[in-house]
Amino acid sequence: MAMKMQRRHWLAGGVALAAAGAGAWWADRRLSPTPVLDGAETAFWQTAFETPEGGSLAVANWRGSPLLVNFWATWCPPCVEELPLLNAFHEKQAPKGWQFLALAVDRVEPVRQFLQRLPLRFPVGMTGFAGTELSRSLGNATGALPFTVVFGPDGRAVHRKIGQVHEADLRAWAGSV
């Protein structure tokens, strides 16, 4: 009887470990960018976005410089948390030729209100919920936020991250572009 109990405990432990491993595998796959779709980079550079104030931002104006594009929303806690870090990174890298663009996958009014509380030092474009499809074309298969893409001066996506950006990510990107 004791032997059966031990086997059950070992079996239950093995099942728990397998489930944990599968969960970690799934989380890793879900947060790993997929390949950029054919033509997505070209289409991105031909796009213009409306600003929260009603102006227009033509992405083509930034071609030839490294460009960090961050997809975010006011209702996304990790997005909001990483924006001050992106502001600080902008301050360091803009003098070195870097360009920055925040693309709000959101509605105009909440973005306007948010920017009054936390002004961003770089341009903000509005994508609405169509931004999810744009991010998917750039390798964000799940459409998760935040999503960050770094384009090199040649216009190709060289770095992509699904999830919150950290200081180590920014340091690595700054040293590689």
Side-chain angles (χ1 to χ4, degrees), residues 125-166:
M126 299 300 305
T127 67
F129 294 106
T132 303
E133 288 308 310
L134 175 58
S135 76
R136 286 177 201 259
S137 75
L138 294 170
N140 182 7
T142 63
L145 291 177
F147 177 61
T148 305
V149 182
V150 175
F151 291 92
D154 64 355
R156 296 183 59 219
V158 293
H159 300 290
R160 293 165 299 133
K161 181 169 184 179
I162 300 170
Q164 190 171 350
V165 170
H166 299 284

Side-chain angles (χ1 to χ4, degrees), residues 52-100:
E53 300 79 29
S56 182
L57 299 169
V59 178
N61 293 336
W62 294 305
R63 194 160 188 157
S65 298
L67 173 66
L68 184 145
V69 178
N70 180 256
F71 291 82
W72 69 288
T74 59
W75 45 263
C76 165
C79 299
V80 170
E81 191 174 313
E82 75 182 359
L83 288 171
L85 180 64
L86 292 175
N87 258 344
F89 186 64
H90 170 263
E91 292 295 312
K92 288 182 193 174
Q93 298 304 321
K96 298 175 185 175
W98 278 72
Q99 302 293 322
F100 293 76

Side-chain angles (χ1 to χ4, degrees), residues 97-109:
W98 278 72
Q99 302 293 322
F100 293 76
L101 176 61
L103 291 177
V105 182
D106 210 326
R107 294 178 300 116
V108 172
E109 195 52 39

